[in-house]
Structures are given as structure tokens and as C-alpha cells.
Amino acid sequence: MSIVGVYLTRHGETSWNLEQRLQGVSDIPLTPRGERQAELLARRLDGTSIAAVFSSDLQRATRTAEIINETINAPFFPVPELRERNWGCLEGLTWSDIESRYPDYAGKIRSGDMDFAPDGGESKNQAV
């Protein structure tokens, strides 16, 4: 009998995480702390049998995966379809920025409207 599992992880920290900015598809690199987070996860996964690694093709995700994969050494596949939701004109903004500049958008986001897409972005329905 073989056991099959899936390990899911988020990319390491970026400067926009620290500033609480929406990243979406903006290609923001890891901070040194984000690289260290990936190293710690790699250490934790050391010795685990992993058949393949898949990640978004954005640098924060690929760098996280590369650091982990230096330890586990599995086939690595960057996949554009694993990118985060495209927030369009809202990318790079903080929640406070959105509330002041785009109050209608803030309300739609809070409501969970699956069909809401900011200018230049995509809705939750489009992102899946």
C-alpha cells in the first residue's frame, strides 16, 4: 500500500506582505526573511519523499520552491495557472488605500461578490 499526499505551502515573505499590500500577479521578490522561511521549511521536509514540486511562475513562489527543492530534489514545474488572483488597479494598494480611493470596490470585496472584478483585474470566478 502506498500513501499519497499533497503538501501545500505559501511563498515566503515579501516586502508587500510586510506593508500589507495586495500582491496578486505583481512579481514581488522574497525578502531575506522570506528566503529563510523557505530554508526552514526545506529543513522540515528533508527526508520526505516528494514526487514533484509545482508552483506559480511568479518569482516569490518559484524562489520559495527552488530553495525547498535544493533539499528535496524533485522535478520542479512552474505553472502560470497557479498565480494568485489578478487585482488589476488594486495591486500594490493597502486596504486603507482601497477604502479611500475605491470605496465601491471595498464594499464589493467585503460582500464576497464572486463576480466583482476591479479594473484590469479578475473576479473570484475568473480566478478559479
Side-chain angles (χ1 to χ4, degrees):
M1 175 198 301
S2 67
I3 298 174
V4 177
V6 175
Y7 295 90
L8 298 175
T9 187
R10 189 170 191 270
H11 58 77
E13 177 188 82
T14 70
S15 61
W16 281 17
N17 291 136
L18 290 172
E19 298 164 5
Q20 298 182 345
R21 297 183 182 283
L22 283 180
Q23 294 181 109
V25 296
S26 295
D27 206 6
I28 310 304
L30 295 177
T31 62
R33 181 174 184 225
E35 292 205 1
R36 180 72 178 135
Q37 290 168 336
E39 291 166 3
L40 290 170
L41 180 56
R43 193 178 319 161
R44 184 149 187 188
L45 292 172
D46 193 15
T48 304
S49 178
I50 296 178
V53 174
F54 298 87
S55 90
S56 157
D57 63 341
L58 297 176
Q59 65 179 313
R60 61 186 177 264
T62 58
R63 184 65 187 132
T64 300
E66 288 167 354
I67 291 169
I68 293 167
N69 212 24
E70 289 170 7
T71 298
I72 63 171
N73 196 29
F76 173 55
F77 303 94
V79 181
E81 292 82 4
L82 291 177
R83 287 182 178 183
E84 294 180 36
R85 177 182 177 184
N86 181 344
W87 285 97
C89 66
L90 303 180
E91 290 199 11
L93 301 180
T94 64
W95 185 250
S96 176
D97 294 335
I98 295 168
E99 288 182 316
S100 64
R101 294 184 204 176
Y102 301 96
D104 290 345
Y105 285 3
K108 290 181 182 190
I109 293 168
R110 266 194 225 96
S111 76
D113 183 346
M114 297 292 288
D115 293 315
F116 163 69
D119 289 344
E122 61 188 351
S123 70
K124 284 183 180 179
N125 281 329
Q126 291 169 319
V128 290

